[in-house]
Amino acid sequence: MAKWGMVIDLDKCTGCQACTTACSMENNTLPGESWQDVLFYHEGEYPSAQMKWLPRPCMQCENPSCVHVCPTRATYKDPDAGGIVFVDWNKCIGCKYCMIACPYGVRFYADEKPLIEPDIREAYPSDNGQLWSPPYQNPEEDWQRGIGIQPPGVVSKCTFCYHKVKHAPEGVVDLDEDNPEVKEYVPACVRTCAPKARYFGDLDNPESQVNLLIGDRHGVRLKDHTGNRPQVYYLGAGASVPAFTPADREHDA
Amino acid sequence: MNISMKDMQTRTQANVLQGPLGWGLLVAAGVVLLASLAFALIQLMTSGHTSFNTSSTLPWGQPIATYLYFALASSGLGLIASLPLVFGFKQYYPVAKRCIFLAFIVLISGMAVLALELGNVFRMLWAIPLNLQVQSAMFWMGVFYALDLLFLLWKFSKLQGGEWDSKTAKQVGIASFIGVLLASGNLALIFGMMSMRPFWFDALLPIYFYFTGVTSGVAALVFFTYLAHGFQRERMPPALQALLTGALPKLFAALIGGTLLFIAVRAITGLYSNNPEINLVWTGYLFASPLYNASLLLGLVLPFVVMLSASLRNRAGVQVLVACLVFLGLFAERFYFVVGGQVVPLFHGTWQPGLISYTPSATEWSLTFVGISLCFVLYLLGEKFLNLGDMPRHMAEAPAGAQANTA
């Protein structure tokens, strides 16, 4: 079985948020429940300040701290699904400990105050145990893997679009949107990336495009000191996250 | 046989809560419990967790802090009860039974609050035992606190049967002591093992939790003991009076001082650290909050200063006031501890330019009141029907002077 990994080239990424939009449409996520979003930072002071951005999906860690802390094994890493980390919505008790333990802040408890008003959950109330039921819904649903629209009281997260990836023919090394044979199986954020800043493939195959890029261009993983060993790698300048500084303190510095 | 059974029976120690005052307070606490529970349940059923002010960036709010407060106060009470029952500090016998009962009901109240905070509480009953995720500290929290409850109940039943010093009572007492240490130490590790939350990440957090837990436990014990006697020490049995003018206030003073010391070393290392996830929590959140500073000064520093004076710390009114202040001060410590670990955004540059703000919602406050009022209801029932002021016969019957000398 492949070990699915993603490479994000920050030298190519334009911060256009097409990935964010594609993800939310593919997975029917609520406003604010961004399984994939682009975070913007600025570093330095005028006139030498730099604008930076960082696209951020779930890192599908090799050694995921969210899995270790979950008291019910609702969140688990599935080696038979390419090492993707899932949340079983039938087992999740909503203790939110995995959200505390995730160093990347990529888990969501969607049953919370709405980011925008009116609350879209009230505009499209649930009719089948889901948190809400929008008029268009991805027909793919697998609550054991946290795919579909979640019920209330559980944690949700990016699944690397496993409902697409799982249909890829056995033995495929690269899921490249330029390859007509496999483009339907490519995760939504990768397929929609206009500047082709994202690559998706098998980290266990040394010939895969993702491995070649990581090797040739010194791919890095975020917050490696936590030991989570993400299966998402970043390339290019700015492949790091600056230390947090509150906005009002930057002027004091 | 008849004689030995008679010896085993507990004798009623009259106190004011067994009379009309007890009924009055019980009705009042029951009304608050029903009102807060009804409000919380209506909110949870109609709005769900949207009625909380927590978010995916700050998932644990006041209900978790409330649970933490209650769970640790319970452990503290359990540890105080082990002073006479495990370690032979005999002057603490007059409060042992009340301590164990309080430890039990405080924990039940905390668990009730936690249950109302979870997304799927009933699922927990099968999902935790069936999946045996032994790597999770939260799994062990369930195991250890369940054992803790069991041993507390068992120990209480021994005392209720008049067994203060039997071999089984000792063994249950030791088991309970170990259970308390495991439960509260493990609860500390739920936070302390989170290296991605540097404000919490601390190998010595179990020690901090034991210490502060005992401080909140003593505060609860002092308050409820005085409440049982109408806040008048002269109504208490001589052995209890001796304890409240002897060993207990000294212990209370030392515990408050130790708690302050723990907070001070955490603050000093936190302020010295360059890590914004520790440093900024102290400078930008804790010490920037007038409420935190007030709770620290009025809830811990002032009580410590007052309790340093031997004449002041032996006054009944001062002890009750200090107990109330410490209750509020440590509740604030728990709140700021839980929230403080989360206020620095993990990854939210643009969307979160400042520290994450959080103020508990009405529903979250109602859960806190559910915990407090449930505790009062159960305690008043206990005073009424379970003779919580009981102590070994030789101690109850000793003259006042003799008690003072042993204290």
Side-chain angles (χ1 to χ4, degrees):
Chain A
M1 186 66 210
K3 182 166 88 178
W4 295 120
M6 190 181 285
V7 166
I8 302 175
D9 187 344
L10 295 175
D11 285 345
K12 285 186 175 179
C13 175
T14 62
C16 70
Q17 299 264 34
C19 49
T20 307
T21 311
C23 175
S24 74
M25 293 184 73
E26 180 72 28
N27 295 295
N28 301 108
T29 56
L30 288 162
E33 185 194 1
S34 296
W35 291 5
Q36 148 62 54
D37 58 4
V38 182
L39 310 174
F40 290 84
Y41 303 89
H42 68 271
E43 273 193 306
E45 293 294 313
Y46 176 84
S48 52
Q50 277 189 314
M51 185 79 178
K52 291 190 170 191
W53 51 89
L54 184 84
R56 181 206 55 170
C58 169
M59 303 289 150
Q60 318 293 353
C61 304
E62 289 174 14
N63 189 18
S65 46
C66 55
V67 169
H68 303 158
V69 301
C70 176
T72 65
R73 291 186 201 267
T75 195
Y76 62 103
K77 187 169 175 69
D78 189 349
D80 296 329
I84 298 173
V85 176
F86 294 115
V87 183
D88 185 338
W89 287 337
N90 298 313
K91 283 188 186 172
C92 177
I93 59 170
C95 69
K96 294 159 274 186
Y97 197 16
C98 56
M99 297 168 70
I100 293 289
C102 172
Y104 304 99
V106 287
R107 291 178 156 258
F108 301 89
Y109 188 76
D111 189 8
E112 57 191 30
K113 284 233 181 309
L115 186 71
I116 52 167
E117 297 281 2
D119 189 345
I120 201 165
R121 289 163 295 195
E122 286 173 12
Y124 300 110
S126 166
D127 53 11
N128 53 1
Q130 301 176 154
L131 196 55
W132 66 309
S133 295
Y136 167 74
Q137 184 179 335
N138 191 331
E140 297 276 356
E141 189 177 63
D142 179 356
W143 279 18
Q144 283 188 330
R145 289 196 164 89
I147 293 168
I149 297 181
Q150 71 267 37
V154 300
V155 170
S156 62
K157 66 179 281 295
C158 155
T159 63
F160 262 1
C161 281
Y162 182 68
H163 56 281
K164 288 156 75 77
V165 171
K166 71 178 178 184
H167 296 300
E170 189 73 28
V172 167
V173 175
D174 294 302
L175 290 181
D176 186 343
E177 71 274 18
D178 290 339
N179 178 356
E181 302 286 321
V182 298
K183 70 176 184 181
E184 289 300 328
Y185 317 130
V186 178
C189 61
V190 179
R191 188 168 174 197
T192 203
C193 180
K196 198 173 169 57
R198 288 180 184 238
Y199 303 85
F200 193 83
D202 183 0
L203 290 172
D204 271 352
N205 188 316
E207 300 303 316
S208 67
Q209 200 176 6
V210 284
N211 269 332
L212 295 175
L213 285 166
I214 293 165
D216 290 348
R217 297 196 43 215
H218 313 293
V220 297
R221 304 185 286 200
L222 298 181
K223 297 193 179 184
D224 242 359
H225 65 277
T226 63
N228 277 28
R229 300 205 304 271
Q231 285 174 213
V232 173
Y233 289 75
Y234 290 85
L235 308 176
S240 67
V241 183
F244 177 75
T245 315
D248 59 343
R249 290 190 161 236
E250 287 173 3
H251 304 294
D252 305 334
Chain B
M1 181 66 187
N2 284 340
I3 292 166
S4 65
M5 282 301 290
K6 196 177 173 187
D7 284 341
M8 294 280 282
Q9 283 171 0
T10 55
R11 286 152 297 105
T12 302
Q13 304 269 353
N15 70 45
V16 294
L17 295 181
Q18 285 156 355
L21 177 67
W23 285 117
L25 287 175
L26 187 60
V27 170
V31 168
V32 175
L33 175 61
L34 287 177
S36 52
L37 188 62
F39 179 75
L41 289 176
I42 289 168
Q43 288 293 307
L44 285 170
M45 283 189 283
T46 55
S47 313
H49 283 75
T50 51
S51 62
F52 285 16
N53 282 349
T54 49
S55 66
S56 286
T57 52
L58 198 147
W60 281 356
Q62 180 158 306
I64 296 292
T66 306
Y67 164 70
L68 189 62
Y69 183 87
F70 278 88
L72 292 178
S74 163
S75 297
L77 286 157
L79 292 174
I80 302 158
S82 64
L83 287 177
L85 300 178
V86 178
F87 297 103
F89 290 95
K90 292 194 168 127
Q91 64 267 53
Y92 285 91
Y93 267 125
V95 291
K97 196 171 171 187
R98 188 171 280 119
C99 257
I100 294 168
F101 184 76
L102 278 170
F104 185 79
I105 61 159
V106 166
L107 187 52
I108 293 277
S109 305
M111 285 175 163
V113 175
L114 181 66
L116 290 165
E117 195 270 348
L118 291 177
N120 285 292
V121 60
F122 295 112
R123 189 175 287 175
M124 175 179 76
L125 300 176
W126 61 263
I128 292 181
L130 288 186
N131 289 285
L132 285 178
Q133 174 51 300
V134 294
Q135 288 185 66
S136 169
M138 204 174 267
F139 168 84
W140 291 107
M141 182 181 85
V143 172
F144 292 143
Y145 270 116
L147 282 176
D148 187 15
L149 274 181
L150 184 74
F151 284 128
L152 284 171
L153 202 58
W154 195 356
K155 198 157 72 167
F156 187 79
S157 72
K158 288 282 167 203
L159 298 188
Q160 185 71 359
E163 279 191 63
W164 292 87
D165 277 320
S166 76
K167 196 177 171 192
T168 328
K170 284 264 182 211
Q171 285 167 344
V172 175
I174 291 167
S176 180
F177 173 68
I178 294 169
V180 164
L181 288 182
L182 287 173
S184 49
N186 178 76
L187 182 58
L189 294 182
I190 283 189
F191 298 93
M193 294 196 296
M194 294 297 102
S195 64
M196 62 298 293
R197 302 279 182 179
F199 179 68
W200 294 335
F201 187 52
D202 184 348
L204 293 180
L205 211 57
I207 312 295
Y208 172 70
F209 272 23
Y210 293 148
F211 212 93
T212 53
V214 178
T215 310
S216 53
V218 170
L221 177 65
V222 168
F223 176 81
F224 282 114
T225 304
Y226 275 102
L227 178 64
H229 299 89
F231 298 106
Q232 288 176 330
R233 198 187 285 146
E234 54 273 24
R235 290 184 176 175
M236 297 177 183
L240 185 57
Q241 288 193 34
L243 176 64
L244 286 172
T245 49
L248 195 67
K250 286 179 200 159
L251 176 70
F252 200 9
L255 287 167
I256 302 169
T259 297
L260 280 170
L261 193 63
F262 266 111
I263 293 168
V265 292
R266 273 179 65 81
I268 291 164
T269 50
L271 291 169
Y272 191 79
S273 165
N274 276 344
N275 186 338
E277 288 172 282
I278 308 174
N279 180 294
L280 274 178
V281 179
W282 286 103
T283 56
Y285 180 62
L286 297 175
F287 289 142
S289 157
L291 195 60
Y292 177 77
N293 289 319
S295 69
L296 188 59
L297 290 173
L298 298 176
L300 289 167
V301 175
L302 177 68
F304 180 61
V305 172
V306 168
M307 292 295 274
L308 283 177
S309 153
S311 59
L312 282 178
R313 75 166 166 258
N314 282 337
R315 287 191 196 167
V318 168
Q319 288 178 7
V320 175
L321 177 68
V322 163
C324 293
L325 288 175
V326 167
F327 167 80
L328 293 172
L330 273 176
F331 187 83
E333 281 298 324
R334 302 286 183 238
F335 176 88
Y336 283 99
F337 174 82
V338 169
V339 178
Q342 306 167 72
V343 287
V344 176
L346 282 172
F347 246 95
H348 287 243
T350 303
W351 317 130
Q352 199 70 58
L355 296 175
I356 301 168
S357 64
Y358 166 75
T359 317
S361 69
T363 308
E364 291 172 282
W365 271 111
S366 74
L367 291 187
T368 301
F369 282 111
V370 166
I372 296 169
S373 53
L374 179 59
C375 204
F376 266 86
V377 166
L378 294 173
Y379 170 72
L380 291 161
L381 289 172
E383 284 290 358
K384 218 160 236 327
F385 299 113
L386 294 172
N387 194 21
L388 300 182
D390 200 14
M391 64 189 89
R393 177 165 286 186
H394 70 274
M395 209 162 199
E397 288 168 359
Q403 295 299 341
N405 291 337
T406 59

